[in-house]
Amino acid sequence: MVSWRGIYFILTLFWGSFFGSIFMLGPFLPLMFINPSWYRWINNRLVATWLTLPVALLETVFGVKVIITGDAFVPGERSVIIMNHRTRMDWMFLWNCLMRYSYLRLEKICLKATLKCVPGFENSTARSNEFAEKNGLQKYEYVLHPRTTGFTFVVDRLREGKNLDAVHDITVAYPHNIPQTERHLLLGDFPKEIHFHVHRYPVDTLPTSKEDLQLWCRKRWEEKEERLRSFYQGEKNFYFTGQTVIPPCKSELRVLVVKLLSLLYWTLFGPAVCLLVCLYSLVRWYFIIIIVVFVVQERIFGGLEIIELACYRFLHKQPHLNAEKKE
């Protein structure tokens, strides 16, 4: 049965995202065509403001407990994060971990477009087992077989540009209930506890060849399978690894203050912009125009990130063209 908690959570996130996109990100869209780097700098911080909202709701309102063990994050470090998936919602729960290490404004999620249609972990497990049978690999119970092509591509490209400092391997586990999809959240089925175990690998410890890097990635998933088996068949924590809870770069008091400010800001933000739309015709016109812009660009180009990337490439190509003309 649909729960008021679930309705409140989903609607709060939706309206925050909707009005935030229009009234916080919208005014800076022209900057994308002038200086994409400045636009990205501002965009990252505005989006991170919204990302604190689900963290605040889950922990402060619904009492979700987050426990992080293993290696510490280095603030500001350029890192690729790899993580197992138990549910469709792992990507959102990860924000609870990253906020404690000032990573929210830097996080970018890479997923195949087809994963938008994956209904849940159970069906994905069946597909993973089919993949294992087809390729003569071990069947897993707690993790899915990693698709190593995307991982090796991202790591290789970042290493080529000297934009990678480390790979963080995160194992996520739920000792009690495991909400699989958005529907479970709508029903008010929030996880009671979320455990993250972090292992940091400096970039200079990674294999250099593509084949060895793929094997390295598969090895990490073998370790995850054993780690999760010990977790669920044992005391349902990661203390057996010998690595205790790692202190965040932000104190828990500071994290609490951020969560409370987030709740206050987003609680007031929605009603405030609705009031402005009702009172001022200029705001109403801006509201309608930005919605049309968002819809049209999505239909034509496939997303703002595509336009932003094209602008970045064009503007950074111009100096090279001018230099060639002078020569």
Side-chain angles (χ1 to χ4, degrees):
M1 200 175 163
V2 175
S3 164
W4 71 266
R5 290 166 21 119
I7 294 174
Y8 170 68
F9 181 75
I10 298 296
L11 287 181
T12 301
L13 293 188
F14 173 77
W15 288 116
S17 174
F18 179 70
F19 287 123
S21 298
I22 294 172
F23 290 98
M24 292 172 64
L25 298 182
F28 294 99
L29 288 179
L31 186 60
M32 182 195 307
F33 303 96
I34 303 170
N35 193 315
S37 297
W38 288 4
Y39 169 79
R40 173 50 46 195
W41 189 90
I42 295 170
N43 181 281
N44 286 342
R45 282 151 181 79
L46 292 178
V47 171
T49 303
W50 180 83
L51 295 180
T52 61
L53 179 58
V55 175
L57 290 172
L58 288 170
E59 296 186 28
T60 307
V61 179
F62 302 125
V64 176
K65 185 178 180 181
V66 176
I67 300 171
I68 308 170
T69 56
D71 298 331
F73 286 83
V74 179
E77 187 173 55
R78 298 165 301 177
S79 171
V80 170
I81 296 175
I82 54 176
M83 188 176 74
N84 62 297
H85 289 290
R86 289 291 293 174
T87 82
R88 271 179 57 97
M89 311 310 300
D90 295 314
W91 53 271
M92 181 173 67
F93 299 145
L94 178 63
W95 297 338
N96 295 68
C97 173
L98 297 183
M99 191 180 81
R100 289 165 164 80
Y101 299 93
S102 300
Y103 260 60
L104 277 186
R105 64 181 176 83
L106 303 174
E107 182 216 24
K108 298 292 178 291
I109 298 175
C110 298
L111 290 173
K112 291 176 65 177
T114 52
L115 290 180
K116 296 178 182 179
C117 304
V118 175
F121 184 78
E122 292 83 357
N123 287 350
S124 298
T125 301
R127 295 181 185 181
S128 179
N129 288 336
E130 290 177 7
F131 176 81
E133 287 182 2
K134 183 179 179 180
N135 292 275
L137 300 173
Q138 171 191 351
K139 289 184 180 181
Y140 289 144
E141 181 180 358
Y142 297 101
V143 297
L144 308 176
H145 277 278
R147 299 302 178 96
T148 57
T149 303
F151 169 72
T152 55
F153 174 79
V154 170
V155 169
D156 284 341
R157 291 299 296 270
L158 290 175
R159 282 198 296 198
E160 287 174 9
K162 300 187 183 302
N163 291 313
L164 183 63
D165 299 313
V167 171
H168 283 89
D169 174 19
I170 299 181
T171 305
V172 60
Y174 306 86
H176 305 295
N177 56 319
I178 308 177
Q180 291 291 335
T181 66
E182 295 86 346
R183 179 177 175 274
H184 289 85
L185 298 184
L186 190 60
L187 296 175
D189 184 17
F190 297 95
K192 294 182 176 64
E193 285 185 17
I194 309 173
H195 290 244
F196 297 98
H197 185 74
V198 183
H199 198 147
R200 178 183 177 274
Y201 295 90
V203 67
D204 55 11
T205 66
L206 300 178
T208 54
S209 72
K210 179 180 178 180
E211 293 74 17
D212 289 342
L213 193 57
Q214 289 178 329
L215 291 174
W216 181 90
C217 184
R218 292 193 183 102
K219 181 65 177 176
R220 302 290 77 78
W221 254 254
E222 290 178 12
E223 294 172 353
K224 286 178 184 290
E225 174 75 8
E226 294 304 317
R227 192 178 298 127
L228 287 168
R229 179 175 289 108
S230 299
F231 180 96
Y232 286 108
Q233 295 180 1
E235 297 181 3
K236 294 189 176 181
N237 60 54
F238 286 121
Y239 298 145
F240 64 85
T241 62
Q243 295 176 294
T244 56
V245 174
I246 54 178
C249 65
K250 292 181 179 178
S251 67
E252 284 302 320
L253 176 60
R254 185 179 171 190
V255 171
L256 177 61
V257 170
V258 171
K259 290 187 291 188
L260 292 177
L261 288 175
S262 178
L263 287 175
L264 177 63
Y265 175 81
W266 289 105
T267 299
L268 298 176
F269 181 75
V273 295
C274 286
L275 184 62
L276 289 174
V277 170
C278 292
L279 292 179
Y280 301 103
S281 59
L282 185 62
V283 178
R284 282 196 296 274
W285 277 111
Y286 166 82
F287 181 67
I288 295 170
I289 291 171
I290 291 295
I291 290 178
V292 171
V293 168
F294 274 117
V295 172
V296 170
Q297 65 82 23
E298 183 69 32
R299 292 290 180 88
I300 297 176
F301 300 105
L304 284 174
E305 66 277 6
I306 306 298
I307 303 175
E308 181 185 354
L309 183 58
C311 292
Y312 180 86
R313 286 175 173 170
F314 175 78
L315 292 174
H316 282 72
K317 186 179 179 181
Q318 289 300 104
H320 297 293
L321 293 176
N322 292 336
E324 289 176 3
K325 288 179 180 179
K326 289 180 180 179
E327 291 178 1

